[in-house]
Amino acid sequence: MSRTKAILAGFLAGLVGGIVMTAAMLLLATLGVATPLVIIGDRLSVFIPPGPFLSLMGKVGGYNHLKQLGVGSTIAGQLLVGAIAGAIFGLLARRNPARLSAVWTVSIFVVLPIVVFAMALWSVLGTSYVGLPIGVARLVTLVGFVLCVFIFERTLTAGFRFLTTRKIRKQDYEFTPAIGRRAFVLGAIGAAAAGGGIALAQKLYRVAAFSYDGTQYKGRIVEPITPNELFYCVTKNVVDPTVNVELWHLEVNGLVQNRATWRFQDLVGLPAREQQTTLMCISNGLDAGLISNAIWKGIPLGELLDQAVLLSSAARVRLYGVDNYTDTIPLEKALEPTTLLAFEMNGVPLPHRHGYPLRVIVPGYFGEKHVKWLTRIEVTDANAKGFYETQGWGPDFITPTRSRIDVPDHGSQFSLGKLDAAIELKGIAYGGDRGISRVELSFDDGKSWREAEIYYSGGDLAWSLWKIEWMPDTAGDYVVVVRATDGEGDVQEWEEDRSPFSGVTGFHKIAVHVTA
Ligand SMILES: Nc1nc2c(c(=O)[nH]1)N[C@H]1C(S)=C(S)[C@@H](COP(=O)(O)O)O[C@H]1N2
Ligand SMILES: [Mo]
């Protein structure tokens, strides 16, 4: 058989192997097993600093598209690598048919990838979308991967043999002169596997986070307590975990005397507290709605840390979700009685997308720190970092004071002649864990200020809602601005020196057009 034919046969067998392997990964994904399709992206994304990350996100049209691009290019890359590996294999096998022996092919196509995979992705192997503890999840991910590369190896070698030999007689391989018909058969098998893979991908797409990731809560609908279905939502995942609480447990380890493992039913038996706390994402724009308020019920994190007995070198706490998301908080913050392990949100168990069965609530810190689907609490020294911290967000995750005008809309038009009452303006003000003491509005772009009425206060850890009536004297284009003062008396301000990756500061302004 000619060189070209050997390369082509290997290429096709490798491509079909890649397709079958990818379909197997998609099948595993539907069972909640982590596969390279998503964890390669998780592993790589921590190397992208926030600047390029944001500009990349902007270029592809948002986080959802970035995730789709990540999975899509992983699949494409996998198929390409499979096909190229197949072509090289074809070439080598033609020269030396001994290379068709299972010892050789298993070493190259199974053992080698496993070693590389385990080393390169070690830190993200402990991911499970059904909530398996990290150690078990790591094993399951590895076994799943072994299965997938084994399927690749079997398909490649069987496919290549099928294309290139008439009959396997002892050690002597005869290459058929015409492989066209067999190529068609193998191609059909590849197409069938691709069809199955696409069906699985569609199934996953339907349960994926694309439909709700980035949900905002703002405008006329804003109430004191955000209903769970409307609560803003951000996730790094393509498909979020759906934790099976029977499989799940919570580990407490690291710099402690007594490591512990908690079952869910034991946790909820501990003394719990209920508190209203507002969450806001670090990337929430001045006019945006990545902010919401709920009543959380949970156990103070400090309770578990006390039981574990901290070692003197303890300085931070690293929190792990089952999706391998991590973040850290300073130990002092972890020990505050309002830092909670929450299992209820507005009186019902945490919804899956908000972290069922357990999430962390860290009042006054950006949403990033409120780790969802919590499965491990690791007490660390001062140097530990989490997912977005490694990317380069921060260094400060303490929320500055912010406020927003929800009513009327930016660009609204009013006619003085038709106004029979004052215009009502409404909005929110949020002072981290410092509360809100005052809200002011300016109708002349910040030259003068009038005090608004705080008609709802959620306490120190939550937002306040404000309103004010405004009767414009004359027609004109107005720039309306809001500013809040926190419970410590500090007026909201624009911090010029603040890193753009520590969350924006400044004022929400809207334009209002008043005609005669
Ligand atoms: N396990 C896990 N926790 C997570 C995230 C995540 O992707 N995985 N996203 C974080 C981010 S960026 C934010 S802003 C908040 C959002 O919480 P919510 O979706 O319940 O509003 O969760 C944080 N906790
Ligand atoms: Mo976020």
Side-chain angles (χ1 to χ4, degrees):
M1 173 162 102
S2 74
R3 239 182 108 184
T4 321
K5 272 186 186 162
I7 293 177
L8 279 178
F11 186 87
L12 180 62
L15 181 62
V16 173
I19 293 173
V20 176
M21 175 177 77
T22 304
M25 288 178 183
L26 290 165
L27 186 65
L28 287 174
T30 60
L31 302 173
V33 178
T35 70
L37 301 181
V38 286
I39 60 175
I40 289 180
D42 279 353
R43 182 75 188 102
L44 291 180
S45 51
V46 296
F47 296 115
I48 315 176
F53 181 75
L54 287 180
S55 85
L56 191 65
M57 211 151 89
K59 273 194 197 114
V60 301
Y63 208 177
N64 278 338
H65 287 113
L66 186 62
K67 291 178 191 174
Q68 285 165 15
L69 185 74
V71 178
S73 40
T74 307
I75 291 180
Q78 230 165 239
L79 298 182
L80 193 69
V81 169
I84 291 173
I88 296 171
F89 166 72
L91 197 63
L92 296 178
R94 174 179 167 269
R95 279 206 212 124
N96 180 359
R99 295 212 168 108
L100 281 167
S101 84
V103 177
W104 199 84
T105 55
V106 167
S107 314
I108 297 296
F109 296 115
V110 181
V111 179
L112 183 69
I114 292 169
V115 172
V116 172
F117 177 79
M119 281 176 17
L121 299 179
W122 185 256
S123 62
V124 292
L125 290 182
T127 306
S128 165
Y129 300 98
V130 289
L132 291 169
I134 292 172
V136 185
R138 185 172 282 146
L139 202 70
V140 170
T141 308
L142 266 177
V143 170
F145 185 72
V146 170
L147 239 125
C148 292
V149 281
F150 188 66
I151 287 173
F152 172 78
E153 186 268 348
R154 289 290 89 187
T155 313
L156 168 65
T157 51
F160 186 74
R161 281 208 180 94
F162 174 67
L163 289 177
T164 55
T165 61
R166 266 200 204 108
K167 254 184 222 151
I168 301 161
R169 249 186 264 112
K170 294 179 206 138
Q171 286 305 91
D172 130 55
Y173 299 91
E174 276 181 56
F175 293 116
T176 52
I179 60 174
R181 210 169 17 144
R182 293 187 179 191
F184 181 78
V185 173
L186 188 62
I189 293 173
I198 290 169
L200 287 165
Q202 283 169 337
K203 187 174 165 186
L204 286 163
Y205 190 92
R206 281 193 293 273
V207 296
F210 303 134
S211 63
Y212 58 82
D213 185 18
T215 296
Q216 301 199 23
Y217 185 64
K218 62 175 184 176
R220 239 158 253 284
I221 56 166
V222 171
E223 295 170 46
I225 304 293
T226 315
N228 288 354
E229 321 75 67
L230 300 178
F231 202 94
Y232 95 89
C233 196
V234 176
T235 170
K236 73 160 181 66
N237 301 312
V238 176
V239 177
D240 272 336
T242 310
V243 171
N244 177 336
V245 81
E246 301 300 320
L247 302 175
W248 176 93
H249 69 214
L250 175 69
E251 298 167 326
V252 183
N253 63 27
L255 303 173
V256 296
Q257 254 172 48
N258 315 318
R259 296 165 154 245
T261 304
W262 291 85
R263 311 270 353 154
F264 187 69
Q265 61 267 30
D266 300 327
L267 275 173
V268 295
L270 295 172
R273 59 180 282 159
E274 228 173 17
Q275 86 197 15
Q276 205 177 118
T277 307
T278 296
L279 268 60
M280 178 170 79
C281 179
I282 196 166
S283 56
N284 190 43
L286 293 171
D287 64 344
L290 296 176
I291 178 168
S292 295
N293 186 38
I295 298 167
W296 309 91
K297 182 176 177 188
I299 307 118
L301 168 57
E303 174 68 32
L304 264 58
L305 295 177
D306 283 347
Q307 292 202 20
V309 184
L310 300 168
L311 300 181
S312 58
S313 47
R316 288 188 86 76
V317 175
R318 179 156 44 199
L319 308 154
Y320 295 73
V322 301
D323 58 343
N324 208 276
Y325 179 88
T326 54
D327 214 330
T328 69
I329 54 176
L331 190 59
E332 314 80 73
K333 187 66 189 173
L335 293 173
E336 278 179 18
T338 53
T339 300
L340 297 186
L341 305 176
F343 52 84
E344 270 186 23
M345 178 178 183
N346 293 329
V348 296
L350 282 179
H352 284 293
R353 68 179 64 160
H354 295 296
Y356 177 85
L358 199 68
R359 85 172 302 169
V360 189
I361 293 295
V362 196
Y365 279 66
F366 282 119
E368 281 55 36
K369 305 274 167 194
H370 303 235
V371 174
K372 302 192 265 191
W373 312 289
L374 184 72
T375 187
R376 178 182 284 172
I377 297 165
E378 182 198 7
V379 179
T380 68
D381 61 20
N383 301 317
K385 281 187 174 167
F387 184 80
Y388 287 112
E389 289 163 331
T390 312
Q391 266 193 348
W393 295 86
D396 186 0
F397 285 82
I398 296 173
T399 47
T401 298
R402 293 270 300 266
S403 52
R404 187 184 67 203
I405 303 167
D406 282 316
V407 181
D409 293 331
H410 170 62
S412 291
Q413 303 245 10
F414 296 94
S415 150
L416 281 179
K418 289 190 197 136
L419 277 181
D420 37 21
I423 302 169
E424 186 181 56
L425 289 87
K426 289 165 71 176
I428 59 151
Y430 171 54
D433 58 358
R434 306 171 299 276
I436 288 292
S437 59
R438 183 180 160 106
V439 177
E440 295 159 291
L441 270 286
S442 168
F443 300 95
D444 50 13
D445 199 5
K447 288 191 206 63
S448 63
W449 295 90
R450 260 181 65 200
E451 188 154 348
E453 176 198 343
I454 294 173
Y455 70 92
Y456 175 82
S457 165
D460 280 352
L461 314 180
W463 66 22
S464 292
L465 303 188
W466 56 263
K467 63 181 181 190
I468 192 169
E469 308 225 306
W470 173 48
M471 197 62 194
D473 297 332
T474 55
D477 290 336
Y478 290 86
V479 176
V480 183
V481 193
V482 61
R483 76 174 181 199
T485 303
D486 70 14
E488 293 168 1
D490 292 324
V491 183
Q492 176 180 349
E493 56 180 1
W494 175 55
E495 298 168 33
E496 205 178 342
D497 306 332
R498 195 179 170 98
S499 149
F501 310 124
S502 295
V504 292
T505 54
F507 307 97
H508 183 211
K509 299 183 177 189
I510 61 167
V512 176
H513 310 291
V514 179
T515 57

